[in-house]
Amino acid sequence: MKKILLLGSGELGKELTISLKRIGCYVITCDSYENAPAMQVSDQAEVFNMLDKNKLQEIIETHQPDFIVPEVEAIETQVLLEAEKNGYTVIPSAKAVNLTMNRDRIRDRAKNLGLPTASFAYAETEQELILEAKKIGTKVAVKPVMSSSGKGQSYATTKDELKSSWKFAIEGMRGNRKRVIVEEFIDFDYEITLLTILEKSGNVSFCEPIGHFQERGDYQYSWQPANCSKIVIENAQEAACKMVSDLGGSGIFGVEFFVDKKGKVIFSELSPRPHDTGMVTMYTQNYSQFDIHARVLLGLPLPEIKLNRPGASHVILAEKNATGNYVIEGIEKALEDQSVDLRIFGKPFLKPYRRMGVIMAETLDKAKIAARKVSVQSKA
Ligand SMILES: Nc1ncnc2c1ncn2[C@@H]1O[C@H](COP(=O)(O)OP(=O)(O)O)[C@@H](O)[C@H]1O
Ligand SMILES: [Mg+2]
């Protein structure tokens, strides 16, 4: 029985744990709070700060896992580089996890590989941000180099807006690097995630592209297949193949692209793990992104991935000022449409805009309608 140490226990980790357990793995889940989604379905759980170098090292040595599988970005990745040197297997590879933990490193890598990206620069002070933004153009996106799900991310055009963006980024950053990336704002036509599979043999394959819509830098809904032209798919596949081959290892990657009005494919970012917009694959594909990640990380043969049917996903979010306990209402109503399926993540408490569940349906309209019927209510 293979032992998996899962670093991060959110909704993606929960589904991955289920996929791993179905094929006989023993899963130890980690996160900074108790009863996180993946912990509810795993064999064992550890609650600690994964940015704490010594603690993370200690947990790895205690459990001696066959595979260390990161599910989030906020991990002390230096420990993973060392663990790999000492013979542990990090999924997809310690290099991939280390480079993607910080937006600047993966951007630099994409640029070095010759991929089209938005123009970008870095800043470590408010003044520097204003200076760099001016060089880039009128409208820019500002993001902490270390963050996810849109945290600390904003857009700015004026000096005052840049000042607020700086403040917002520093408040929203994870880890201890006071550094932001400032990017040219791309007025894209649409954006996609290309789930890209890298097998240990080096073989690269793809799922059908997923279209998605974001708000506050966070995913709201997604659909598969995205309506891309053949040339857009080919260009995205070529770029994704370059990126994952360079990062190495084995697993599924979420490679994000913007497609501009002229059909140009612009690399945005990459996650070396299942992707939130890819939850739709639980509905559409014969094997979901979680089943694929599980198979590939274990080095098992990969079945042919097929799109069984088109589909869409829509998040169920907590309200803007939500905190504390909650109840979810309206599930019966949402399920009246027989094409609808859902996942409720079982997070133990609310936070503002926290993702609490996801609706899946055969069309985007149906997913939106069903999602409107479900509400997350605070409970005293
Ligand atoms: N340079 C940009 N131009 C236009 N939109 C952007 C830009 N950067 C980010 N966005 C929007 O914000 C979303 C989240 O940004 P992303 O870099 O993917 O952050 P995260 O790691 O939090 O997912 C993107 O999917 C896109 O919709
Ligand atoms: Mg993203």
Side-chain angles (χ1 to χ4, degrees):
M1 192 188 271
K2 295 292 182 198
K3 204 192 252 189
I4 313 283
L5 186 69
L6 184 66
L7 302 177
S9 300
E11 56 270 32
L12 304 180
K14 182 179 182 182
E15 292 297 336
L16 178 61
T17 300
I18 294 169
S19 296
L20 286 163
K21 289 213 53 67
R22 278 186 184 142
I23 42 180
C25 295
Y26 185 88
V27 185
I28 304 147
T29 45
C30 307
D31 214 315
S32 59
Y33 64 101
E34 273 175 34
N35 208 22
M39 293 177 184
Q40 299 163 21
V41 292
S42 66
D43 296 284
Q44 222 181 316
E46 294 279 8
V47 177
F48 67 101
N49 175 6
M50 294 177 291
L51 287 165
D52 179 336
K53 192 168 186 250
N54 295 333
K55 189 68 199 172
L56 180 55
Q57 222 156 17
E58 186 192 310
I59 293 282
I60 293 171
E61 276 157 26
T62 306
H63 291 287
Q64 309 254 331
D66 296 295
F67 298 94
I68 301 173
V69 185
E71 187 244 12
V72 293
E73 267 136 35
I75 300 172
E76 179 46 65
T77 52
Q78 197 55 41
V79 175
L80 302 187
L81 288 169
E82 280 160 29
E84 194 176 79
K85 269 196 208 122
N86 294 331
Y88 287 103
T89 303
V90 177
I91 297 300
S93 64
K95 179 181 172 187
V97 176
N98 188 45
L99 284 176
T100 49
M101 170 164 156
N102 292 294
R103 296 180 194 277
D104 44 350
R105 299 200 185 120
I106 192 71
R107 262 314 166 86
D108 288 341
R109 180 57 57 131
K111 198 174 166 192
N112 290 343
L113 289 171
L115 268 52
T117 66
S119 327
F120 63 97
Y122 307 112
E124 295 188 352
T125 61
E126 185 188 275
Q127 290 81 344
E128 224 181 323
L129 173 63
I130 293 166
L131 198 79
E132 294 299 337
K134 217 172 169 183
K135 289 189 219 157
I136 287 174
T138 42
K139 186 168 179 183
V140 294
V142 180
K143 310 169 193 174
V145 289
M146 204 170 143
S147 77
S148 63
S149 304
K151 289 189 189 78
Q153 182 175 325
S154 61
Y155 305 111
T157 41
T158 64
K159 200 169 165 181
D160 278 347
E161 283 172 1
L162 283 165
K163 284 184 180 173
S164 332
S165 288
W166 171 259
K167 200 164 160 260
F168 189 58
I170 297 308
E171 282 165 8
M173 72 175 202
R174 274 186 179 150
N176 48 13
R177 288 175 80 211
K178 253 193 179 180
R179 191 168 203 235
V180 301
I181 181 166
V182 44
E183 294 176 21
E184 168 194 6
F185 176 80
I186 304 285
D187 185 20
F188 54 78
D189 190 16
Y190 62 96
E191 57 182 324
I192 57 167
T193 302
L194 187 63
L195 291 173
T196 304
I197 306 155
L198 176 65
E199 290 171 84
K200 213 171 172 186
S201 63
N203 188 48
V204 175
S205 53
F206 307 93
C207 298
E208 289 282 339
I210 296 167
H212 55 91
F213 177 77
Q214 309 257 336
E215 229 170 63
R216 297 175 303 276
D218 202 18
Y219 132 80
Q220 306 298 304
Y221 49 85
S222 70
W223 60 95
Q224 188 191 34
N227 183 18
C228 306
S229 68
K230 197 163 164 257
I231 183 80
V232 164
I233 296 181
E234 277 170 16
N235 288 341
Q237 288 187 345
E238 191 188 325
C241 184
K242 266 192 202 160
M243 284 301 285
V244 306
S245 303
D246 177 69
L247 295 170
S250 49
I252 199 164
F253 296 69
V255 191
E256 292 179 48
F257 296 98
F258 302 137
V259 182
D260 78 5
K261 295 188 167 92
K262 290 181 190 146
K264 185 176 172 194
V265 175
I266 301 163
F267 172 80
S268 168
E269 65 156 0
L270 171 151
S271 66
R273 62 184 79 94
H275 198 266
D276 49 11
T277 63
M279 284 192 280
V280 68
T281 59
M282 291 189 279
Y283 187 90
T284 51
Q285 295 187 171
N286 58 342
Y287 290 88
S288 72
Q289 61 171 356
F290 308 104
D291 297 334
I292 297 171
H293 200 48
R295 286 264 191 134
V296 169
L297 78 87
L298 291 168
L300 296 172
L302 182 69
E304 190 191 343
I305 305 304
K306 289 187 197 142
L307 194 76
N308 284 339
R309 52 177 173 174
S313 78
H314 193 294
V315 296
I316 299 169
L317 296 183
E319 310 233 301
K320 191 177 174 187
N321 298 313
T323 53
N325 294 333
Y326 66 98
V327 282
I328 295 189
E329 287 175 354
I331 290 175
E332 315 74 24
K333 285 215 170 66
L335 291 177
E336 276 168 11
D337 176 342
Q338 292 191 353
S339 94
V340 168
D341 194 3
L342 54 74
R343 298 285 184 275
I344 299 296
F345 305 144
K347 292 182 182 174
F349 53 91
L350 299 179
K351 288 187 204 171
Y353 293 124
R354 194 174 202 188
R355 198 186 298 147
M356 307 306 288
V358 69
I359 293 277
M360 291 166 285
E362 60 191 1
T363 65
L364 186 52
D365 277 348
K366 286 189 170 206
K368 284 182 183 171
I369 291 167
R372 274 203 293 272
K373 293 181 181 166
V374 179
S375 67
V376 182
Q377 307 281 349
S378 290
K379 201 173 75 175

